[in-house]
Amino acid sequence: MNTQALGVEHYLAGMRAALDDLPPSEVAEIMEDVEAHIAELSTELGENETVEQRLGSPERYAQELRQAAGYPPKTERLPVTTKRQLLTRPRAAAWGLAVATGVTLLAGAAALKEPAVLLLPAVILVLSLALVNDRGPSQQEIMNLPETIKLKKWLTPEAGTPADRAITYLRTLQPAWWLVRAVLLGLGAVLLAGRDILGFLVIAAVAVMSVFAGPRAQTDRRWLWFSLPASALAVGLLVQIIDVTAGQLGYNASRSSYSGPVMETYENIYAYDENGKLLTNVLLYDQDGQPINARRYYDGCASDDPQPAIPANRYPRPKISYENGVCYTVAPSASAPSSTSRTTPPSSSESTPSSSVPPTSVSPSK
């Protein structure tokens, strides 16, 4: 802040002190016009000229305004011996803004799941702004609070230091942040469009208004009650979007790394009765009555050779052997199970049914 700007603020503070015996609403009305006039006058001042040289002392100028408005001269006040009031309207409004901004940051991280949480900071903001909305665009009473002065001093490091250069650079990025903030809020509104139409409309409206709130907050500090919570909401939404995206990527990665159950294939099926005797020419069907077919080709026979006319769902499948241009079918053979829950293992003669079914040959023409 340059010397001339400091001189303007000092002059305005002196005028408020000279008018502090009037009702706050009347002081705000007077100062609103004076601030606009002095701001315009400051642009016309020379390099070494001050506002006081143009208008006289703050007390004298305030006295002229009192007379023009029909107010009586200021009377001398006796020293106040009572304890200073801790909770004033400006302090309640300032702390309401700080609390609502913090709550909005936390609520923004959950707004996509439950947009109704934004009602709490909205109520705090409305109530706190209502306390000082009539105090003019400069909100000088809030700017004169001890905690506000300390914060301003902390955010205004000594000129030429790295901290000063960093803050100056960040201030140049404010227009870019206003655009990024609107984009983040718009993205949050889009994510809510299919689930909560009211939340979508509210956040979309905040996104549009945030574009105008940023520049206006620099000249009218009452817009801070919208601009700061809007920034907090954008940051909260960004945190939630990152969390949801990371969770989705992790879920997709776990799904891609999961391998389904290994399906074991079988070349043949052997059915035995309760006595351990191998059953032949068994036709298998599923629960819908559809045949459970084996593959339609046979190992050992060339693909262009005629295949034996055997139903595809008949089991056990015969073994097909190819020799001298002829496909031979050999009756399947398999050992009976070593043990069953109901019967004893079959005899050796029953476990080798191939001896009871002699090999046969199939002509390629059949």
Side-chain angles (χ1 to χ4, degrees):
M1 184 177 294
N2 55 34
T3 305
Q4 192 177 77
L6 286 173
V8 171
E9 287 201 5
H10 178 74
Y11 192 88
L12 293 174
M15 288 194 64
R16 290 188 188 88
L19 298 171
D20 62 357
D21 60 317
L22 299 177
S25 60
E26 297 178 2
V27 175
E29 184 178 353
I30 294 174
M31 293 304 299
E32 186 172 1
D33 296 332
V34 170
E35 289 171 1
H37 174 62
I38 293 180
E40 182 180 357
L41 180 63
S42 64
T43 61
E44 303 173 359
L45 297 176
E47 183 176 355
N48 297 321
E49 191 177 10
T50 64
V51 177
E52 191 167 351
Q53 292 174 345
R54 285 283 190 97
L55 301 177
S57 66
E59 294 77 12
R60 179 181 175 182
Y61 189 43
Q63 181 64 24
E64 293 176 359
L65 293 176
R66 294 170 70 100
Q67 293 177 357
Y71 296 115
K74 180 179 180 180
T75 57
E76 185 178 355
R77 290 188 174 184
L78 296 176
V80 179
T81 58
T82 57
K83 186 181 294 185
R84 185 177 60 179
Q85 186 178 3
L86 294 178
L87 184 60
T88 60
R89 288 179 60 181
R91 178 169 280 112
W95 281 101
L97 173 61
V99 171
T101 302
V103 174
T104 304
L105 178 62
L106 298 177
L112 296 182
K113 298 179 181 178
E114 190 57 52
V117 298
L118 296 176
L119 290 176
L120 176 60
V123 171
I124 299 175
L125 286 171
V126 171
L127 293 178
S128 59
L129 179 58
L131 295 175
V132 291
N133 186 49
D134 59 344
R135 303 303 177 95
S138 65
Q139 295 296 315
Q140 195 61 41
E141 291 174 311
I142 292 180
M143 303 306 295
N144 291 336
L145 290 172
E147 52 266 39
T148 307
I149 295 174
K150 290 182 181 179
L151 178 62
K152 186 190 298 185
K153 184 178 180 180
W154 182 74
L155 294 176
T156 310
E158 186 178 351
T161 60
D164 177 62
R165 291 193 293 269
I167 291 178
T168 302
Y169 175 71
L170 291 176
R171 285 173 179 168
T172 63
L173 298 179
Q174 278 186 325
W177 165 244
W178 297 333
L179 180 60
V180 172
R181 177 176 65 185
V183 171
L184 289 174
L185 293 172
L187 179 58
V190 170
L191 295 177
L192 276 176
R195 298 185 288 113
D196 193 309
I197 188 62
L198 182 58
F200 162 74
L201 294 175
V202 170
I203 297 183
V206 173
V208 174
M209 292 183 62
S210 67
V211 178
F212 304 97
R216 293 183 180 182
Q218 294 184 325
T219 57
D220 188 346
R221 290 193 174 98
R222 287 174 293 190
W223 279 95
L224 289 175
W225 274 259
F226 180 87
S227 184
L228 288 181
S231 296
L233 177 59
V235 173
L237 288 174
L238 176 61
V239 171
Q240 187 172 9
I241 291 172
I242 293 175
D243 179 65
V244 171
T245 303
Q248 188 65 32
L249 291 177
Y251 174 73
N252 292 337
S254 64
R255 288 190 61 187
S256 62
S257 62
Y258 171 74
S259 58
V262 178
M263 303 299 294
E264 186 175 357
T265 59
Y266 301 93
E267 294 183 358
N268 215 334
I269 297 176
Y270 298 91
Y272 289 83
D273 63 11
E274 60 182 1
N275 297 319
K277 182 179 181 181
L278 177 65
L279 302 179
T280 58
N281 298 329
V282 176
L283 301 179
L284 298 183
Y285 298 87
D286 62 13
Q287 70 279 357
D288 299 321
Q290 301 297 324
I292 302 177
N293 295 330
R295 57 188 181 183
R296 298 181 179 278
Y297 63 92
Y298 301 93
D299 294 334
C301 289
S303 59
D304 56 350
D305 288 340
Q307 301 296 321
I310 302 172
N313 67 327
R314 177 179 293 177
Y315 299 93
R317 307 299 294 165
K319 180 180 179 182
I320 308 299
S321 180
Y322 181 77
E323 185 178 354
N324 298 327
V326 178
C327 285
Y328 290 93
T329 60
V330 181
S333 62
S335 300
S338 58
S339 64
T340 61
S341 58
R342 296 182 180 180
T343 60
T344 58
S347 62
S348 59
S349 61
E350 292 176 335
S351 63
T352 57
S354 58
S355 60
S356 60
V357 182
T360 58
S361 63
V362 178
S363 174
S365 60
K366 294 184 181 181

